[in-house]
Amino acid sequence: MRSSSTKQVAENNRGLNGRFFTLRSRLYNALSLGLRNEEGGRRWSCTDVETQRHVVRSIDAFLDCISSDMSLHPLVKESVADIVPALGTTLLQKNDAVMKLASKVFVKMVNVIPSSIIESLVLDIVHPISSSLSSCHVPVVTLCATALNLILSYLSSKNERDVWKVLEETETIRYIIRHVRYGGSKPAEFFFEAISLLSRILQRWPSSRFCVWNNNELMEVLSPLSLEPMLSVKAAVLQLYSAIALCRNGAKKLLDSGNLPLQLMVESMDCLNPNYLQLAGFTLAECFAVSEEGRLKMIESYGEPLVKSIISALNSWSLQSGKITKEQLSLIMGACCACKIICWPGKHHNYFWKLGIESVLLKLLLDDFHIKQIPEHFSSLDELEAIARDGLSANFLPAVKPHVWDILGGLAAHCAEDFTAQMLNSELHLKILIMCACLGFAVSLRLTRQRCQTVENELVTRAVLLLIYSPSKYISSQAKSILSGILKPLAKEDIKYLLDTLNATSSGINNTVPDNLQVIHLISMACYSGLPQYRRYVMKNQGIQILLSFIQVSSRNHVHAQRMNTSLHYCGHNMKMCCYEFEEEDWQGDEMFMVFGLLGLAELVHHSGSVKDQVWLKSNEGQLISQVQEICINSFASGSKWYCAYLLSYFGFYGFPSKLGNRIGNALSNDGNTNLTLVLANQEHVNVHGVILRVRCPSLFPSEVKTSRKNEIRLSAHVNHQALLKLLEYVYSGHLRAGEDLVKRLKTLAKHCDLQPLLQMLCRNRPKWRTPVPTFELTSALGPNGRCFSDIVLEAKGHTFEEWKCESCTLSQPHLHAHKAILCASSDHMRALLCSGMQESQSESIKIDLGWKALVRLVNWFYSGKLVPKPKYGCLWHNLNEEEKLEQVIPYVELYCLSDSWLLEDLHKECSRVIVNCLDSVNMATKIIQIGADCFQWDLVELAAKFMAPSFHHLRNSGQLLELDERLVDIVRAASVARLSQ
């Protein structure tokens, strides 16, 4: 009878055969030839080529005998741990013949051995492979790139940082770029592997992108490579473009390089191409679609072919054995992500409707069996609901559903007002789509009570909201009719639950509701507010008061909801975006609470017909107006601003209140510096500032008025004096207040002057989704448009620029031609300087104690309310040296000091924010702390001292604080002590 230990050994070795043990024995015999005793233990080291060759062949033979069943055996793991040092050392010997063999075996090992074992030895594997990319031997580089690409494809996040250090040390990116740039007549496989590896690195490590897209020679080489007959190379180039486009600056570089990237993208999407090539094209389109510039360029240059390719990919698939293949699903997902362009307005919507998008979406939502149940002609809503319920219960393609809801919502939001059933390929299919969305809305509402929320819940709820409030009366009426019927059994119960939950949250009773659930609650409330059958019940249960209270609390506490579903958040892949800072106003951004809360509130106010509601609104009108105006001024999101303006229009306020508008608006009541007179038919007149009129309302400004001398503009007899004054109020401030008696006259004036946003608000038209807010700014007055009205020159301090040249005058000192009216309205200091009767007020030019760059930013602030141009950000910033970074920051430090003495509080805060964001080195902080002390800006000194505090002891010991006087050193020391005490 065998002993228990023998049994245990037999059990442990189950699954291994005699060949395995024979080859393993030969392997270790070969490995023993290179083992050397060194300090710290035995180490594999061998310089003999024949021995190396023998060892590599033994490893190769051993790997050949490992089946998938054996791969996780402890003996295999133990053997791999011994193989890696020998294989790596051999590869590093730089003998071309052995390197080719060793690199080939590395590829085999990575393919054969489970990723969990490779991960445990990843640094020992990556180092020799990445080091060997410096080889001039094409087969070696190709194989090493293949192996490294495979490893990175499943590398876990815990090892990312260490692997990146290895790649940096071995200069992996530099060598790959060199190989691609000087590839010449190398085989297509070489380019495929090298470019694929490069794109993999860029996808994982955002900091690696700059050196790729900023290499002009490499970018030029990629263009001809994309024309390679080998389609995999074309796909690799597209993947690299996608990885570059994950960086905002890289995407801009691609878009500015001409149409080739876009052309390659569209051509690759052709349905005749293999799936992997189509998917590469869709991925690039998805990356471009993140930015407004990318969306516009795609739609304007390749709108129709892009839409055709998307529709083809979404439609040309079929079930095989009752299932969809993995490749088909990947292509559908890629096309869905590219289809997100439908969520923005543009001419491409017509192409989608023309190609039957409603039938394509329905095919993605319901399986073939349920689609075949759809009758050829219209039947009752009950029958359609039954088909939709059964179809949704089958849970067909669950991963695609969130995309379907998002696309459906985008279609509804951007429909034309005159969109009708006759413009559809299948009205029935659209009805069933709307029915499915409404059923999904009802399910989502039930799930929120159980504190369940998913991406799909939010998206289907938002899709229904956009259907209800669609500009198309046809779509809106269909959605309202269907949703009202579905919600009827539990409508009152739902409304009570939603209002109680929102009330509890705004009262501070319940603060445990997650942000995403609160967003769903607000969207659901806005939907109920849009349904005539239930709106009265909402108002009866204090819906207006509760929504207003919720909005007030959210605004006061600066509550923001994290975006759950931006373009790349739910497309099934992890894309690490970089440099996509919040530059342009987004429709909702992280202000979803505001947007949906204001939408619901505006709808209730619009229909507040009862005496009770009107009495409450009248008694709280002042508070409501003040609160909404404040939200409009401080909001960054276009959606919040638009619904604030829409809501204010019901109280006689029209326009978009802003800090800059409020400042410039004061100039209207001041006749100083006016140079234009508007004369009415009855000889009544209004003195205005020509530059403001030229910039803000050019239609009212005749072309023959070209100088800054006093001019008269005679207006039509149809222009009413009061209406004109109100129009000028809007021109100067961006908003106005008027009674109903003047609205009709103002509509006529606004239409004549082509002030479409004002006309929309006067008509109280509901804002269209994603419509940009008309910006209030006067920066065009600094150019040819307003130069003829310039009455003051602002000179910067410092030396004369060698190549300085002004188009308007011969002054050699850097300067700007500005306008007293705007400067006086923007700054009390400038008003005192220019209107005091002192010497400066009589001068044609004044010197400002700022460098040229700071002066440009100051004037832009006066004319736009924005601190532009902004410092470089993202990779552009990180790749500047310390001197260049300081050069970028100094203008803001200068402005920080000046804004304090000039009492420009908002500018002071904005400069502080910029300085804090840019402060990233002790050397910069040392310079800033000294400047702050010299200018007696002790807040700036404290700011820099806090940054230096963690490094105080090192700075003191290294002598880096010697350039500061003892008083400043004490401030840094105190900041360090305060930090340690915390």
Side-chain angles (χ1 to χ4, degrees):
M1 187 175 181
R2 289 189 297 176
S3 66
S4 59
S5 61
T6 306
K7 286 181 179 179
Q8 186 64 45
V9 170
E11 183 66 26
N12 290 344
N13 291 337
R14 179 179 292 179
L16 304 181
N17 53 35
R19 176 173 168 74
F20 173 85
F21 287 107
T22 300
L23 291 173
R24 187 171 185 271
S25 176
R26 291 177 184 172
L27 169 66
Y28 276 91
N29 286 336
L31 290 174
S32 65
L33 298 175
L35 287 173
R36 302 287 183 268
N37 290 317
E38 294 183 3
E39 188 177 345
R42 287 165 67 80
R43 178 171 169 272
W44 203 92
S45 177
C46 176
T47 57
D48 180 70
V49 173
E50 289 306 317
T51 303
Q52 291 174 356
R53 201 188 306 268
H54 172 60
V55 170
V56 173
R57 285 173 176 162
S58 300
I59 295 170
D60 191 25
F62 175 71
L63 292 173
D64 277 338
C65 79
I66 298 175
S67 65
S68 58
D69 295 334
M70 302 179 190
S71 60
L72 288 170
H73 196 280
L75 284 180
V76 173
K77 185 174 181 179
E78 180 185 298
S79 302
V80 172
D82 294 325
I83 286 171
V84 168
L87 206 54
T89 303
T90 301
L91 197 58
L92 291 172
Q93 292 299 314
K94 306 297 183 184
N95 180 289
D96 286 350
V98 183
M99 282 181 78
K100 182 179 178 181
L101 184 60
S103 55
K104 189 179 292 185
V105 173
F106 254 127
V107 173
K108 181 180 289 187
M109 183 182 74
V110 174
N111 274 310
V112 169
I113 303 302
S115 59
S116 58
I117 298 176
I118 298 294
E119 276 269 340
S120 64
L121 302 163
V122 69
L123 297 181
D124 295 324
I125 296 172
V126 168
H127 186 271
I129 293 176
S130 59
S131 298
S132 300
L133 289 170
S134 62
S135 170
C136 296
H137 199 46
V138 173
V140 171
V141 174
T142 305
L143 289 165
C144 286
T146 303
L148 192 53
N149 205 357
L150 286 167
I151 293 168
L152 297 184
S153 67
Y154 54 69
L155 181 70
S156 67
S157 56
K158 70 175 183 178
N159 287 320
E160 268 192 358
R161 192 171 181 178
D162 293 330
V163 169
W164 175 239
K165 284 183 180 178
V166 173
L167 297 180
E168 281 189 304
E169 289 168 6
T170 55
E171 299 183 275
T172 298
I173 293 179
R174 183 170 77 86
Y175 283 115
I176 298 173
I177 291 175
R178 189 185 72 178
H179 287 308
V180 175
R181 278 184 58 190
Y182 303 108
S185 58
K186 290 174 183 173
E189 184 188 1
F190 166 83
F191 288 108
F192 169 74
E193 296 295 348
I195 296 172
S196 296
L197 175 58
L198 191 58
S199 62
R200 181 82 66 183
I201 293 172
L202 266 59
Q203 287 165 7
R204 271 194 172 268
W205 292 283
S207 60
S208 65
R209 293 166 189 162
F210 176 81
C211 63
V212 176
W213 67 256
N214 196 46
N215 191 310
N216 293 327
E217 292 81 7
L218 173 67
M219 299 303 287
E220 287 175 8
V221 168
L222 291 176
S223 298
L225 279 176
S226 66
L227 304 176
E228 278 280 335
M230 187 173 172
L231 294 181
S232 58
V233 176
K234 185 176 288 191
V237 171
L238 282 165
Q239 287 167 357
L240 182 56
Y241 282 158
S242 297
I244 289 171
L246 292 174
C247 167
R248 173 67 176 270
N249 299 310
K252 190 175 187 311
K253 177 71 173 281
L254 288 173
L255 292 168
D256 291 344
S257 66
N259 278 338
L260 187 63
L262 290 175
Q263 184 180 342
L264 177 64
M265 176 193 80
V266 173
E267 287 175 354
S268 68
M269 294 174 176
D270 193 289
C271 60
L272 298 177
N273 288 322
N275 278 11
Y276 69 84
L277 184 56
Q278 292 181 64
L279 185 56
F282 287 128
T283 303
L284 180 56
E286 177 190 357
C287 293
F288 279 150
V290 175
S291 69
E292 183 180 11
E293 182 183 6
R295 291 191 297 270
L296 289 176
K297 202 152 189 178
M298 284 195 297
I299 293 167
E300 289 172 3
S301 302
Y302 295 96
E304 191 165 9
L306 176 60
V307 171
K308 284 181 179 177
S309 296
I310 290 171
I311 291 291
S312 177
L314 292 177
N315 202 29
S316 59
W317 56 272
S318 58
L319 297 178
Q320 298 176 4
S321 304
K323 293 183 179 180
I324 191 168
T325 66
K326 186 177 180 180
E327 291 75 18
Q328 285 178 329
L329 184 58
S330 296
L331 188 59
I332 291 171
M333 293 290 283
C336 280
C337 293
C339 196
K340 295 301 159 57
I341 58 171
I342 216 167
C343 297
W344 282 268
K347 61 183 181 182
H348 55 298
H349 280 262
N350 294 331
Y351 304 139
F352 277 107
W353 287 117
K354 184 179 176 181
L355 294 171
I357 182 65
E358 70 280 2
S359 300
V360 174
L361 291 179
L362 191 62
K363 183 181 176 183
L364 294 172
L365 202 59
L366 306 181
D367 56 28
D368 287 343
F369 173 77
H370 290 94
I371 287 179
K372 289 175 181 175
Q373 305 301 311
I374 298 172
E376 291 184 12
H377 303 287
F378 283 114
S379 54
S380 67
L381 284 179
D382 289 340
E383 187 178 345
L384 293 182
E385 182 179 340
I387 294 170
R389 281 187 187 278
D390 287 346
L392 289 174
S393 65
N395 203 25
F396 181 61
L397 299 182
V400 179
K401 277 186 180 179
H403 300 284
V404 173
W405 304 135
D406 209 25
I407 295 165
L408 179 61
L411 286 168
H414 302 297
C415 261
E417 293 182 27
D418 58 356
F419 182 88
T420 61
Q422 285 68 41
M423 299 177 184
L424 291 164
N425 286 0
S426 174
E427 182 182 3
L428 185 56
H429 284 178
L430 180 60
K431 269 197 172 184
I432 296 175
L433 262 181
I434 294 173
M435 179 73 74
C436 288
C438 293
L439 289 170
F441 176 95
V443 171
S444 174
L445 202 51
R446 303 291 99 79
L447 290 174
T448 56
R449 298 199 189 191
Q450 303 166 24
R451 294 293 182 95
C452 295
Q453 55 87 23
T454 63
V455 172
E456 185 185 345
N457 288 345
E458 182 185 335
L459 291 177
V460 71
T461 309
R462 191 178 67 177
V464 170
L465 176 86
L466 296 178
L467 285 163
I468 287 174
Y469 292 103
S470 173
S472 163
K473 291 181 181 178
Y474 166 74
I475 289 181
S476 177
S477 62
Q478 290 290 330
K480 287 177 181 178
S481 172
I482 292 170
L483 185 63
S484 297
I486 290 173
L487 295 177
K488 187 175 182 179
L490 297 172
K492 291 187 177 181
E493 187 181 324
D494 285 341
I495 293 169
K496 195 75 170 63
Y497 162 75
L498 291 169
L499 290 174
D500 287 346
T501 305
L502 291 172
N503 192 34
T505 303
S506 59
S507 309
I509 299 171
N510 185 2
N511 293 319
T512 62
V513 181
D515 283 354
N516 292 328
L517 270 181
Q518 288 191 47
V519 169
I520 293 175
H521 290 155
L522 283 167
I523 296 174
S524 302
M525 195 71 259
C527 287
Y528 267 114
S529 301
L531 299 176
Q533 296 91 325
Y534 308 117
R535 189 185 297 121
R536 173 54 44 204
Y537 190 75
V538 173
M539 290 191 276
K540 183 180 177 183
N541 284 273
Q542 297 185 311
I544 293 177
Q545 295 92 316
I546 289 172
L547 275 176
L548 179 59
S549 175
F550 187 94
I551 291 166
Q552 288 173 333
V553 170
S554 298
S555 172
R556 189 164 54 245
N557 298 333
H558 305 289
V559 177
H560 299 285
Q562 292 300 312
R563 272 188 283 186
M564 188 178 182
N565 55 340
T566 51
S567 178
L568 300 180
H569 284 192
Y570 56 100
C571 283
H573 42 236
N574 180 25
M575 287 186 168
K576 297 180 180 178
M577 312 297 294
C578 68
C579 303
Y580 279 87
E581 290 195 347
F582 187 73
E583 285 193 327
E584 56 198 83
E585 290 183 346
D586 186 67
W587 176 257
Q588 61 184 43
D590 57 359
E591 296 181 14
M592 288 187 284
F593 288 167
M594 292 293 181
V595 174
F596 297 122
L598 288 164
L599 190 160
L601 180 60
E603 195 64 19
L604 294 178
V605 169
H606 175 57
H607 293 281
S608 57
S610 73
V611 174
K612 181 182 177 182
D613 291 326
Q614 289 175 355
V615 169
W616 186 90
L617 285 170
K618 195 70 178 175
S619 61
N620 292 273
E621 184 176 314
Q623 179 192 0
L624 189 151
I625 290 171
S626 175
Q627 184 69 37
V628 175
Q629 285 179 329
E630 185 180 346
I631 292 172
C632 190
I633 289 171
N634 296 319
S635 176
F636 288 101
S638 296
S640 299
K641 288 180 179 293
W642 262 114
Y643 279 107
C644 281
Y646 178 52
L647 185 55
L648 288 169
S649 69
Y650 288 99
F651 299 94
F653 284 85
Y654 304 93
F656 298 89
S658 67
K659 291 180 180 179
L660 177 63
N662 290 341
R663 292 201 302 266
I664 302 299
N666 294 327
L668 180 60
S669 58
N670 184 0
D671 273 357
N673 304 309
T674 58
N675 50 16
L676 196 63
T677 302
L678 303 181
V679 182
L680 284 83
N682 62 1
Q683 300 307 309
E684 288 184 290
H685 68 276
V686 183
N687 293 326
V688 295
H689 303 86
V691 64
I692 295 176
L693 206 64
R694 167 69 69 87
V695 172
R696 292 279 298 151
C697 189
S699 300
L700 197 59
F701 197 96
S703 58
E704 59 268 18
V705 180
K706 296 179 179 178
T707 71
S708 60
R709 297 192 303 273
K710 281 285 184 179
N711 283 279
E712 289 186 355
I713 298 178
R714 295 195 170 272
L715 303 179
S716 163
H718 298 290
V719 178
N720 175 270
H721 184 245
Q722 285 183 297
L724 175 63
L725 289 176
K726 285 299 175 182
L727 184 78
L728 290 173
E729 185 180 331
Y730 175 81
V731 169
Y732 272 70
S733 68
H735 59 95
L736 64 90
R737 184 171 193 176
E740 291 295 327
D741 55 324
L742 273 179
V743 167
K744 186 175 181 180
R745 293 180 181 273
L746 277 169
K747 286 179 184 178
T748 304
L749 264 179
K751 186 175 182 180
H752 175 77
C753 295
D754 197 28
L755 297 173
Q756 289 302 321
L758 176 60
L759 182 61
Q760 179 176 342
M761 285 175 283
L762 289 168
C763 295
R764 292 189 181 133
N765 292 333
R766 188 183 294 115
K768 292 184 179 179
W769 199 254
R770 290 198 187 277
T771 302
V773 168
T775 56
F776 184 95
E777 62 168 45
L778 305 165
T779 48
S780 65
L782 295 169
N785 202 28
R787 195 165 291 154
C788 62
F789 291 101
S790 172
D791 49 10
I792 188 69
V793 172
L794 304 179
E795 293 184 32
K797 70 177 181 180
H799 300 293
T800 302
F801 290 1
E802 289 183 10
E803 297 183 2
W804 173 262
K805 186 178 180 181
C806 179
E807 295 178 2
S808 302
C809 69
T810 58
L811 275 177
S812 58
Q813 191 75 5
H815 64 276
L816 287 166
H817 292 270
H819 310 84
K820 289 182 180 180
I822 295 172
L823 297 179
C824 291
S826 300
S827 163
D828 291 338
H829 179 90
M830 292 300 292
R831 186 184 308 113
L833 201 63
L834 298 173
C835 304
S836 63
M838 297 175 66
Q839 182 180 352
E840 288 86 351
S841 63
Q842 306 302 319
S843 175
E844 292 184 357
S845 68
I846 57 172
K847 290 186 181 292
I848 307 294
D849 190 25
L850 289 173
W852 170 245
K853 292 181 179 178
L855 177 60
V856 169
R857 285 160 176 78
L858 174 66
V859 174
N860 276 330
W861 176 270
F862 287 155
Y863 280 68
S864 70
K866 297 176 183 177
L867 196 54
V868 289
K870 294 181 179 179
K872 292 181 178 178
Y873 67 94
C875 57
L876 291 174
W877 170 263
H878 294 303
N879 284 278
L880 297 175
N881 59 40
E882 287 197 359
E883 186 177 338
E884 290 169 329
K885 287 181 178 179
L886 185 62
E887 188 181 332
Q888 292 267 316
V889 176
I890 287 299
Y892 301 95
V893 176
E894 290 184 53
L895 278 176
Y896 182 91
C897 300
L898 179 129
S899 60
D900 183 48
S901 61
W902 284 21
L903 303 179
L904 300 172
E905 185 181 348
D906 290 333
L907 178 58
H908 194 67
K909 289 179 181 177
E910 186 66 14
C911 288
S912 176
R913 187 189 67 80
V914 172
I915 294 167
V916 169
N917 289 341
C918 292
L919 195 56
D920 66 354
S921 75
V922 170
N923 287 339
M924 184 189 293
T926 305
K927 300 285 186 186
I928 289 175
I929 202 172
Q930 188 64 64
I931 295 171
D934 293 343
C935 298
F936 304 102
Q937 293 293 319
W938 300 112
D939 287 345
L940 189 61
V941 170
E942 291 289 342
L943 187 154
K946 285 181 181 179
F947 183 86
M948 298 169 71
S951 310
F952 172 72
H953 294 293
H954 170 73
L955 294 171
R956 182 188 59 188
N957 295 335
S958 65
Q960 286 179 261
L961 293 177
L962 293 176
E963 60 184 272
L964 299 179
D965 62 42
E966 194 58 39
R967 178 184 55 168
L968 295 179
V969 174
D970 286 342
I971 292 174
V972 179
R973 182 187 293 111
S976 175
V977 171
R979 178 179 176 274
L980 291 172
S981 66
Q982 291 172 1

